[in-house]
Amino acid sequence: MVFVKSYFMKTLKNLCFIGCGKTGLAHAKVAKYLGSSIKFVYTRNFKSKNFKVFSKYFPRVQKLKNLKNLDRLNMDGIIVAIPWILNDLYIDKFFKNFKKPILFEKPIGYSNKKIIDKIKFPDNKYLALNRRFYENIIYIKKKIEVKNISNVQVNISENFNSFKKRFSSLSPENVVFNTAIHVVDLLYFLFGKLRVLFKIGNLKKKDNNLIVILENESKIPIYLNITFNSPENNSIIIKTKDNKIYQLSPIENLKIFNKLTINIVNGQRKYQKRFKKEINEDYKFKPGFLNQMKNFIYLKKEAKISNCTETINLLKKIIK
């Protein structure tokens, strides 16, 4: 009898985790659910509360005292989920020294601008831009033809004051680079390569905003507004030529409208968008983590997991 390798046969069975905080634990839970083994973990402090929680879920995990000879261990892939401010210390080393696949949790480049300028993700190193794996994003990708899009309106609102409390040395550009990367990656994922047509405003001060007009290869205009400390959700609104509106606000919630109705209430006209469909993300796991981990551990040929090079290049053009 001839055994044919299943399309979904796991290729990354044994995993190593570098970092075991809340995000690392969220990735580990999904990997275990999919059948992978959490074999090794490295953290700077094995007495920490984070490791105590992690080890309760994975009591047999082997502790690594350092990161030497990591490629020689009996494991197939690495998940890096360390504190934001430490990423700069490790990212270059991981890319140069380790041949095995790595899923690298963002953000990147908070403390060292030089790393942002030179970073390039190798073929088997990925950035965990999990929003492209949301069910509502997958739905939009399947349902909307790019040629049928009229225009796109995008809003990015960042709580700059909150970031400054945590990392006092951060510049506004660093905050935008590392937090807006999710939404900008969705623009690239959904609409293809983009170029900057027009910019007004700047991000030099915390109370400033930036307005950017982008265009994809099909000449679809994308209007992007980045504002600090504004009390509103990040949002993407897609308007189609057949008069439908696909509204992601917040990104985890998709509402589709297909008609405008007029109701007379107490003698006054009330205009209301007619609601057609709504998709909310499933929170059994952190949204997008399940589909993202499938793409990583199965290494599917048509994987949509991001190595983020195009997204990083686009972000540089937007914020500079």
Side-chain angles (χ1 to χ4, degrees), residues 12 22 39 55 62 69 99 103 116 130 135 140 143 147 160 167 177 180 209 218 230 234 239 248 266 287 319:
L12 304 182
K22 291 181 180 179
K39 196 157 187 178
S55 61
Q62 299 178 47
N69 302 318
K99 297 179 181 179
L103 181 64
I116 293 175
N130 57 293
E135 292 298 333
I140 288 174
K143 290 290 184 179
K147 65 181 181 181
F160 182 78
F167 307 113
F177 185 89
N209 76 308
S218 300
S230 181
N234 287 349
K239 297 183 178 180
L248 294 158
N266 296 326
I319 66 177

Side-chain angles (χ1 to χ4, degrees), residues 11-256:
T11 57
L12 304 182
K13 178 65 177 176
N14 298 315
L15 299 177
C16 172
F17 275 73
I18 299 173
C20 57
K22 291 181 180 179
T23 303
L25 180 60
H27 282 297
K29 287 180 178 178
V30 174
K32 179 182 178 181
Y33 175 80
L34 292 173
S36 290
S37 173
I38 315 305
K39 196 157 187 178
F40 302 99
V41 65
Y42 169 79
T43 180
R44 294 181 302 163
N45 182 10
F46 283 106
K47 294 181 180 180
S48 68
K49 180 180 178 181
N50 283 339
F51 178 71
K52 289 180 181 178
V53 173
F54 192 91
S55 61
K56 285 183 179 178
Y57 284 94
F58 307 101
R60 296 183 180 180
V61 67
Q62 299 178 47
K63 295 186 287 187
L64 299 177
K65 294 182 179 180
N66 56 60
L67 298 176
K68 295 179 180 179
N69 302 318
L70 199 59
D71 256 349
R72 298 180 184 178
L73 295 176
N74 180 26
M75 56 90 179
D76 307 305
I78 303 168
I79 313 290
V80 179
I82 54 182
W84 296 351
I85 208 70
L86 297 178
N87 280 345
D88 297 347
L89 303 177
Y90 291 95
I91 193 166
D92 203 37
K93 180 189 299 184
F94 288 150
F95 289 172
K96 288 180 179 178
N97 298 341
F98 303 137
K99 297 179 181 179
K100 293 181 179 178
I102 299 177
L103 181 64
F104 207 105
E105 187 58 50
K106 74 268 138 226
I108 53 173
Y110 256 149
S111 60
N112 188 340
K113 272 192 165 184
K114 292 181 180 179
I115 296 240
I116 293 175
D117 290 335
K118 71 179 182 179
I119 191 169
K120 185 176 181 181
F121 276 60
D123 289 341
N124 68 340
K125 308 295 187 291
Y126 308 100
L127 191 63
L129 294 168
N130 57 293
R131 282 156 182 78
R132 60 167 58 191
F133 294 97
Y134 282 6
E135 292 298 333
N136 54 32
I137 298 300
I138 294 172
Y139 178 87
I140 288 174
K141 185 81 171 174
K142 289 180 178 179
K143 290 290 184 179
I144 303 180
E145 292 187 70
V146 173
K147 65 181 181 181
N148 192 38
I149 296 173
S150 176
N151 65 75
V152 182
Q153 299 171 16
V154 184
N155 181 71
I156 298 175
S157 178
E158 299 300 344
N159 191 335
F160 182 78
N161 292 340
S162 174
F163 282 100
K164 287 296 287 186
K165 287 180 181 178
R166 300 172 69 184
F167 307 113
S168 59
S169 63
L170 291 183
S171 70
E173 292 95 332
N174 270 136
V175 171
V176 171
F177 185 89
N178 288 286
T179 57
I181 195 168
H182 272 300
V183 175
V184 173
D185 181 67
L186 288 181
L187 299 182
Y188 170 71
F189 181 63
L190 290 172
F191 311 118
K193 290 185 178 181
L194 304 172
R195 65 189 185 101
V196 176
L197 294 181
F198 174 81
K199 290 198 298 183
I200 187 170
N202 65 71
L203 298 170
K204 301 297 182 183
K205 298 179 181 180
K206 65 180 181 180
D207 55 350
N208 278 4
N209 76 308
L210 181 65
I211 298 171
V212 184
I213 299 177
L214 305 162
E215 181 183 73
N216 75 348
E217 292 179 333
S218 300
K219 306 295 183 182
I220 296 170
I222 299 173
Y223 306 101
L224 170 62
N225 182 45
I226 302 175
T227 309
F228 285 130
N229 304 317
S230 181
E232 55 188 328
N233 290 319
N234 287 349
S235 63
I236 300 175
I237 299 174
I238 304 168
K239 297 183 178 180
T240 62
K241 293 176 182 177
D242 57 351
N243 296 319
K244 291 187 178 68
I245 295 176
Y246 294 77
Q247 176 180 290
L248 294 158
S249 180
I251 305 299
E252 290 75 17
N253 172 256
L254 171 63
K255 287 187 174 73
I256 303 171

Side-chain angles (χ1 to χ4, degrees), residues 258-297:
N258 66 343
K259 189 178 288 188
L260 187 68
T261 59
I262 303 174
N263 299 314
I264 307 298
V265 180
N266 296 326
Q268 294 184 337
R269 287 188 173 192
K270 298 288 185 179
Y271 294 89
Q272 190 174 24
K273 292 182 291 186
R274 183 174 176 181
F275 184 72
K276 181 183 179 183
K277 187 180 182 71
E278 182 174 14
I279 299 176
N280 286 296
E281 292 305 307
D282 184 2
Y283 281 82
K284 177 179 180 179
F285 299 109
K286 196 169 181 178
F289 272 39
L290 180 61
N291 286 330
Q292 178 177 251
M293 188 61 70
K294 283 180 182 178
N295 276 259
F296 181 63
I297 66 174

